[in-house]
Amino acid sequence: MAYKVISLFSFNLLLLFLLPLYSHATSRNPHDKKLSSVEYLKRLQGSREGDKVKGIHNLKAYLEKFGYLSYNHSKNQTHTNDDDSDELLVSAIKTYQLNHHLNATGIMDANTVSTMMKPRCLVADITNGTNWMSSRKKKHHHRHGSFHTHFPFSDGNRKWTTSDLTYGFLPSTPAEAMNPIANAFKTWASNSHFTFSQAQDYTNANIKVSFERGDHGDGSPFDGPNSPGVDNTVAHAFRPTDGRLHFDADNQWSVGAVPGAMDYETVALHEIGHLLGLGHSSVQGSVMWPAIDTGATAHSLQKDDIDRIKALYNS
Ligand SMILES: *[C@@H]1O[C@H](CO)[C@@H](O)[C@H](O)[C@H]1NC(C)=O
Ligand SMILES: *[C@@H]1O[C@H](CO)[C@@H](O)[C@H](O)[C@H]1NC(C)=O
Ligand SMILES: *[C@@H]1O[C@H](CO)[C@@H](O)[C@H](O)[C@H]1NC(C)=O
Ligand SMILES: *[C@@H]1O[C@H](CO)[C@@H](O)[C@H](O)[C@H]1NC(C)=O
Ligand SMILES: [Zn+2]
Ligand SMILES: [Zn+2]
């Protein structure tokens, strides 16, 4: 009897020690934090024009961030920061839905909510009035009967003037990330006219790779654990010839497919497309599609990606 009481007591004691450890470990998982930052979207399911639902102001910030909505903040426009679903918002939702092959109703249906909740690239889908995803490939009939593919390059059309580029890692880059990122450069090299070589000196490289967290000083903050944000972004890169490629250090990263984590090489392959001058594509399954799945890998370029880089550089 005494033995039973003691063992029960020590078992409880063990639990008392283990439970806080367990909950501490899970609450510190940055991925859980990141997922909760887009939880407000679930509350918006079913909302439509005229509705007032808590969280609409977060949705407005989300759509503004990715280029779908542009309130003039200096003008103090009526609905900039409130939870009212106005005409401007509904029209932004429709454009988002068209780009993502959803029913363009302007209503936050279940598929729209789940698409918005997915982890994605921080680069906007619409920049300076160019909707990179809207002009699905237009096929123009040529006089010789051939077809020509047109892509939206009206926004600056910025390109590299050299085809031999160097890349370097900021010294704080996780060692395990370097090989997967180098592999992504190799994949682009074998599908384009570019060559990439690793520079020993980070400061003089054309392309500078680093892991950053939260607001990291370039005007495009990540949604770190300390800045919950309105999205679920994992990385971004600048257009030519800027060369900066930033991974969100608060994200859960992996080499290969690991449930709940982002594969370095998969994300690098997408971001290198931006570094070379490509915008997002509306072709689902292409590398330049804006959403990136956790627990999955995509290590090869698709026809759409290769067509785009060839069209941009006439190569
Ligand atoms: C926003 O409104 C202000 C004040 O009316 C105006 O000066 C500014 O040009 C507007 N900005 C844009 C981008 O329309
Ligand atoms: C913006 O408009 C709201 C509502 O009319 C008002 O309360 C607020 O003071 C205004 N803010 C600025 C900066 O003008
Ligand atoms: C679009 O709406 C139709 C009819 O309601 C529905 O069957 C279909 O699943 C919807 N598609 C998407 C992508 O939401
Ligand atoms: C938009 O255009 C302006 C002026 O041409 C430029 O300074 C800015 O960098 C552009 N923004 C993007 C995201 O390309
Ligand atoms: Zn992107
Ligand atoms: Zn950045």
Side-chain angles (χ1 to χ4, degrees):
M1 188 66 189
Y3 170 77
K4 249 190 177 163
V5 169
I6 287 165
S7 74
L8 205 67
F9 173 74
S10 54
F11 179 71
N12 281 336
L13 208 66
L14 196 71
L15 270 183
L16 219 66
F17 273 105
L18 285 180
L19 274 177
L21 273 179
Y22 177 74
S23 60
H24 185 67
T26 50
S27 71
R28 282 287 296 271
N29 180 338
H31 186 70
D32 293 348
K33 273 269 165 64
K34 286 173 72 73
L35 283 183
S36 70
S37 76
V38 288
E39 286 296 309
Y40 71 90
L41 286 164
K42 284 188 189 161
R43 273 202 309 267
L44 302 183
Q45 192 165 314
S47 72
R48 56 185 72 213
E49 187 166 358
D51 286 357
K52 192 181 180 82
V53 185
K54 194 171 176 292
I56 293 263
H57 69 283
N58 289 323
L59 174 64
K60 288 176 179 175
Y62 180 102
L63 290 166
E64 266 201 291
K65 192 161 184 176
F66 299 115
Y68 290 92
L69 190 58
S70 50
Y71 286 110
N72 186 338
H73 288 274
S74 60
K75 243 183 178 166
N76 196 9
Q77 272 177 349
T78 334
H79 296 299
T80 314
N81 300 311
D82 64 18
D83 282 325
D84 287 335
S85 179
D86 63 337
E87 203 183 327
L88 212 54
L89 174 66
V90 168
S91 131
I93 295 170
K94 282 184 186 164
T95 308
Y96 178 91
Q97 289 169 327
L98 279 172
N99 276 356
H100 292 83
H101 311 293
L102 299 159
N103 290 325
T105 55
I107 299 165
M108 292 291 285
D109 61 22
N111 285 335
T112 304
V113 168
S114 67
T115 303
M116 285 184 178
M117 287 184 80
K118 284 186 180 149
R120 60 159 289 158
C121 170
L122 178 55
V123 173
D125 301 334
I126 302 171
T127 57
N128 276 347
T130 294
N131 184 348
W132 296 89
M133 296 174 72
S134 82
S135 6
R136 296 158 220 290
K137 295 192 219 170
K138 282 189 209 115
K139 288 191 169 158
H140 286 264
H141 213 59
H142 267 228
R143 51 197 163 100
H144 302 300
S146 65
F147 287 88
H148 203 78
T149 313
H150 286 263
F151 298 102
F153 292 131
S154 53
D155 180 19
N157 203 3
R158 274 168 281 169
K159 305 191 245 187
W160 294 93
T161 52
T162 169
S163 54
D164 301 315
L165 299 173
T166 56
Y167 63 92
F169 297 103
L170 190 77
S172 60
T173 304
E176 64 163 17
M178 293 180 186
N179 268 336
I181 294 170
N183 285 341
F185 279 112
K186 281 182 198 141
T187 304
W188 276 104
S190 49
N191 288 286
S192 70
H193 65 294
F194 284 104
T195 69
F196 302 96
S197 52
Q198 191 177 340
Q200 291 317 311
D201 182 11
Y202 166 85
T203 51
N204 291 324
N206 298 120
I207 294 165
K208 296 176 171 69
V209 181
S210 60
F211 281 68
E212 310 282 348
R213 39 172 46 100
D215 188 347
H216 52 285
D218 59 15
S220 298
F222 283 127
D223 51 333
N226 299 320
S227 51
V230 292
D231 53 50
N232 212 350
T233 50
V234 298
H236 74 142
F238 293 81
R239 296 172 62 201
T241 52
D242 183 289
R244 281 173 294 170
L245 195 182
H246 295 161
F247 291 83
D248 184 353
D250 287 322
N251 205 61
Q252 192 111 316
W253 294 99
S254 65
V255 180
V258 171
M262 279 280 160
D263 172 48
Y264 293 113
E265 185 174 340
T266 301
V267 175
L269 198 63
H270 174 98
E271 298 304 333
I272 294 167
H274 291 311
L275 289 171
L276 299 179
L278 299 186
H280 285 144
S281 168
S282 65
V283 174
Q284 218 157 351
S286 73
V287 162
M288 294 316 291
W289 174 258
I292 306 169
D293 289 327
T294 57
T297 61
H299 293 176
S300 28
L301 296 174
Q302 302 302 306
K303 185 179 182 302
D304 179 64
D305 306 304
I306 297 167
D307 286 350
R308 279 167 189 266
I309 198 73
K310 294 211 155 126
L312 178 57
Y313 287 92
N314 283 320
S315 59

